[in-house]
RNA sequence: GUCCCCAUCGUCUAGUCUGGCCUAGGACACCACCCUUUCAAGGUGGCGACACGGGUUCAAAUCCCGUUGGGGACGCCA
């Protein structure tokens, strides 16, 4: 049975690169009817693990990447928090010593550092001299009598090679003599990541370790640990990096502000920021940024769109298929079609997927997505009644593809504000009404006509306006722009006649009066 | 510095293993035109890449060698 895992540290946020790695693990498990484990790489030192973990778990849940075992759901191979497994690691470290694969070492950090510097000065490769290695219990007692604290180091072979058979890259060869005698247990008795990771993967019966490329060069030591412990090592697959927008470097949470300098990235960020501010959401760069998954949830992206974009970052099925729903993804995902080169994150393309997915969902689903934004922006009551929903549905229909993310509904606040609170775009008002020759008079005349149009619906309104245009001997542009600004306050919007119908006669008349009154 | 990985349009990629079907295909972005009451959407078209240099071969994006460039790893971090 295939078992994969993703092991996040509780950092307080879920970033796009992590999701991509988790997604590939999840897909591989689902593809093979296996299990996907969410293990938590926390440490004892971390205080508020639950708090720092919540955004990560919420992010996965929102994306629909579910885990069969691990944090909050438990399972038969727990505990799933590394902080609760130190005893296991210590036992493993001791077993390594017992099997002659590791040794107690009593060098101080300063002594190691001195050796390292000497090697560097002489231009040779640093390899620990093992001068403070304890070969017997008596050695240990002697060192400890000197007041030294012992660590456990791996007894890495100094000859030969290690071959990592990577499912993405094929065989990769490393010389053992390049590896250090890595510490696996600290002087304070706690154990380090590489040991913990190997022990956990074994205990949790992980069959495929699918992780980012940065771990490729860590793999020999992990294989050494696994073999030393008598484990059957898992299969490894090292994924290419998700690189920063417009660059080749690994995506980093520390460079969020720098990414904002990339024009495409900035545009996406700005679009989201406007929505977030309208609903009173925090928009500091560290927490609100297109590299962080929460950004997309806040702004109203669709999880499936994000997954679809992400599955294509470093993987493809063929030369043309690009729309994958969950089932299609699971069905077609294979590790042998994972790319080797880093793929840079392009939020622009993500938006393109979002648009396609948004166009595809049914009206009522769209309305449901949009409602919370109207509520959070204070434009609608918390519990909209059926009439209100129907009203919103009309707006959503009329807006059509203009609503790319759910939060885009906030581009149309004018349908929700009182007539006397309507804000006018000053530039549009001047251009279309104040300074347009004869516009105000035409508007005044058409207002009178509007009083009698029956029914007050798009088709009838359009027919009547066409007649007005003919009667006046003008072009449609000479009335419609002024009309738009008068009733919506803006120079741009969706179909004029739908707009009038949705607003209704009373409000249209009131708004035209108000606009004319501003002259 | 040492080791490892990678290299096709600005970006994501197909093609590379199994050389010829590749005058290199698709998508995003961009540009133009069409549609049009504005803004979107949609339609049509365009721009645009095999990093470089040597081989091997009748034939190289594809195989080999080298160069260059980029990235990653080298912790008592994870």
């Amino acid at each position: 049975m295939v078992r994969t895992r993703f092991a996040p540290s509780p950092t307080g946020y879920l970033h796009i690169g992590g999701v991509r790695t988790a997604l590939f693990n999840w897909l591989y498990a689902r593809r093979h009817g296996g299990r996907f484990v969410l293990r938590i790489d926390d440490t004892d030192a971390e205080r508020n693990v639950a708090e720092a973990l919540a955004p990560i778990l919420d992010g996965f849940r929102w994306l629909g990447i579910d885990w069969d075992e691990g944090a909050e759901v438990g399972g038969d191979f727990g505990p799933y928090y590394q902080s609760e497994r130190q005893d296991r690691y210590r036992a493993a470290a001791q077993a390594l010593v017992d099997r002659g694969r590791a040794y107690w070492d009593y060098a101080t950090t300063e002594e190691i550092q001195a050796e390292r510097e000497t090697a560097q000065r002489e231009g040779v490769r640093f390899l620990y001299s093992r001068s403070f290695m304890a070969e017997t219990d008596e050695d240990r007692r002697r060192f400890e009598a000197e007041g030294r604290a012992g660590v456990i180091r791996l007894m890495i072979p100094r000859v030969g090679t290690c071959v990592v058979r990577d499912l993405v890259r094929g065989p990769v060869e490393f010389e053992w003599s390049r590896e250090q005698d890595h510490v696996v247990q600290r002087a304070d008795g706690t154990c380090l990541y590489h040991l913990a990771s190997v022990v956990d993967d074994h205990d949790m019966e992980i069959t495929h370790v699918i992780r980012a490329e940065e771990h490729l060069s860590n793999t020999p030591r992990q294989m050494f640990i696994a073999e030393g412990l008598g484990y059957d090592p898992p299969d490894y697959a090292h994924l290419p990096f998700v690189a920063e927008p417009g660059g080749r470097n690994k995506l980093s949470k520390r460079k969020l502000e720098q990414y904002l300098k990339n024009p495409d990235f900035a545009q996406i960020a700005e679009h989201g920021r406007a929505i977030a501010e309208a609903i009173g959401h925090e928009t500091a760069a560290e927490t609100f940024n297109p590299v962080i998954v929460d950004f997309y949830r806040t702004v109203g992206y669709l999880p499936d769109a994000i997954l679809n974009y992400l599955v294509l970052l470093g993987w493809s099925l063929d030369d043309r298929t690009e729309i994958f729903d969950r089932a299609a993804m699971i069905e077609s995902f294979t590790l042998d079609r994972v790319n080797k080169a880093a793929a840079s994150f392009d939020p622009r393309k993500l938006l393109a997927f979002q648009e396609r997915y948004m166009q595809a969902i049914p009206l009522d689903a769209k309305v449901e997505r949009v409602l919370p934004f109207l509520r959070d922006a204070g434009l609608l009551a918390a519990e909209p009644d059926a009439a209100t929903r129907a009203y919103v549905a009309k707006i959503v229909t009329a807006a059509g593809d203009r609503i790319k993310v759910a939060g885009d509904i906030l581009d149309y606040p004018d349908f929700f504000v009182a007539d006397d609170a309507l804000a006018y775009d000053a530039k549009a008002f001047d251009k279309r009404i104040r300074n347009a020759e004869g516009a105000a008079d035409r508007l005044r005349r058409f207002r009178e006509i509007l009083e009698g149009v029956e029914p007050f619906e798009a088709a009838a309104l359009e027919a009547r306006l066409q007649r007005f245009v003919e009667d006046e001997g003008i072009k449609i542009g000479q009335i419609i722009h002024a009309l738009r600004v008068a009733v919506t306050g803006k120079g741009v919007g969706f179909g004029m006649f739908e707009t009038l119908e949705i607003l209704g006669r009373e409000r249209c008349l009131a708004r035209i009066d108000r606009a004319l009154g501003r002259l």
Side-chain angles (χ1 to χ4, degrees), chain A residues 69-87:
Chain A
E69 294 170 30
E72 295 188 359
V73 306
D76 296 337
F77 301 85
Y80 292 93
Y81 290 77
Q82 287 199 332
S83 59
E84 296 170 24
R85 302 175 57 81
Q86 279 293 333
D87 291 348

Side-chain angles (χ1 to χ4, degrees), chain A residues 229-282:
Chain A
L229 257 10
Y231 299 166
D232 196 14
D235 285 343
Y236 294 98
H238 288 93
L239 271 20
F241 286 108
V242 174
E244 57 193 27
R248 284 268 83 101
N249 293 352
K250 182 180 145 189
L251 209 52
S252 160
K253 39 273 176 163
R254 275 177 280 283
K255 288 151 83 179
L256 297 182
E257 306 214 28
Q258 183 191 313
Y259 302 151
L260 260 12
K261 292 181 188 139
N262 172 294
D264 284 348
F265 191 84
Q267 196 181 339
I268 300 298
E270 177 55 31
H271 169 228
R273 201 186 52 77
I275 293 169
E277 283 181 355
I279 59 173
H281 191 279
E282 176 70 39

Side-chain angles (χ1 to χ4, degrees), chain A residues 10 12 40 42 46-57 72 81:
Chain A
I40 307 305
D42 61 342
E46 278 155 340
R47 277 287 144 263
N48 38 12
V49 170
E51 192 182 311
L53 196 52
I56 294 171
L57 301 186
E72 295 188 359
Y81 290 77

Side-chain angles (χ1 to χ4, degrees), chain A residues 156-157 159-165 171-177 179 216-224 227 236:
Chain A
I156 296 284
V159 295
T161 57
C162 171
V163 178
V164 177
R165 298 192 185 284
V172 183
E173 212 169 282
F174 295 88
E175 281 181 51
W176 281 123
S177 61
E179 283 289 311
L216 180 57
S217 46
N218 297 331
T219 308
R221 80 189 67 162
Q222 296 192 357
M223 289 175 67
F224 180 82
E227 280 160 18
Y236 294 98

Side-chain angles (χ1 to χ4, degrees), chain A residues 65-323:
Chain A
I65 295 179
D66 56 337
W67 55 102
D68 306 299
E69 294 170 30
E72 295 188 359
V73 306
D76 296 337
F77 301 85
Y80 292 93
Y81 290 77
Q82 287 199 332
S83 59
E84 296 170 24
R85 302 175 57 81
Q86 279 293 333
D87 291 348
R88 283 285 309 146
Y89 309 146
R90 254 190 297 273
Q94 187 55 52
L96 247 13
V97 173
D98 294 344
R99 290 159 169 256
R101 300 306 194 102
Y103 59 90
W104 281 96
D105 181 66
Y106 288 87
T108 61
T109 343
E110 292 73 27
E111 285 158 348
I112 292 287
Q113 188 54 30
E115 279 198 21
R116 188 172 275 132
E117 280 166 14
T118 304
Q120 194 152 27
R121 229 179 2 257
E122 293 170 0
V124 299
R125 190 165 66 244
F126 165 67
L127 261 190
Y128 174 46
S129 64
R130 295 181 182 166
S131 305
F132 297 88
M133 171 169 78
E135 296 192 61
T136 62
D137 286 352
E138 194 181 328
D139 288 344
R140 291 190 61 187
R141 281 191 291 278
R142 199 183 70 239
F143 282 127
E144 279 165 19
E146 292 175 20
R148 291 172 178 272
V151 301
I152 295 179
R153 286 183 183 276
L154 258 20
M155 180 94 79
I156 296 284
R158 301 225 158 149
V159 295
T161 57
C162 171
V163 178
V164 177
R165 298 192 185 284
D166 190 275
L167 263 22
V168 171
R169 278 148 225 280
V172 183
E173 212 169 282
F174 295 88
E175 281 181 51
W176 281 123
S177 61
R178 306 274 165 187
E179 283 289 311
Q180 300 298 327
D181 285 356
H182 304 281
V183 172
V184 292
Q185 182 178 307
R186 296 185 183 92
D188 68 3
T190 59
C191 293
L192 272 345
Y193 169 76
H194 292 295
L195 175 73
S197 182
V198 169
V199 169
D200 290 345
D201 287 341
H202 172 261
D203 285 357
M204 296 174 191
E205 298 184 9
I206 301 305
T207 57
H208 298 261
V209 171
I210 302 168
R211 61 194 353 177
E213 183 190 348
E214 62 186 290
H215 288 286
L216 180 57
S217 46
N218 297 331
T219 308
R221 80 189 67 162
Q222 296 192 357
M223 289 175 67
F224 180 82
I225 294 170
E227 280 160 18
L229 257 10
Y231 299 166
D232 196 14
D235 285 343
Y236 294 98
H238 288 93
L239 271 20
F241 286 108
V242 174
E244 57 193 27
R248 284 268 83 101
N249 293 352
K250 182 180 145 189
L251 209 52
S252 160
K253 39 273 176 163
R254 275 177 280 283
K255 288 151 83 179
L256 297 182
E257 306 214 28
Q258 183 191 313
Y259 302 151
L260 260 12
K261 292 181 188 139
N262 172 294
D264 284 348
F265 191 84
Q267 196 181 339
I268 300 298
E270 177 55 31
H271 169 228
R273 201 186 52 77
I275 293 169
E277 283 181 355
I279 59 173
H281 191 279
E282 176 70 39
T283 57
E286 316 82 68
T287 51
F288 189 77
N289 186 297
V291 162
I292 309 292
V293 169
D294 200 54
F295 171 91
Y296 300 99
R297 182 164 50 157
T298 302
V299 170
Y301 280 68
L302 265 4
D304 285 7
I306 295 173
L307 257 29
N308 198 151
Y309 170 73
L310 251 21
V311 78
L312 261 8
L313 247 201
W315 176 87
S316 65
L317 175 64
D318 54 31
D319 61 340
R320 54 195 65 253
T321 315
E322 51 175 28
I323 296 299

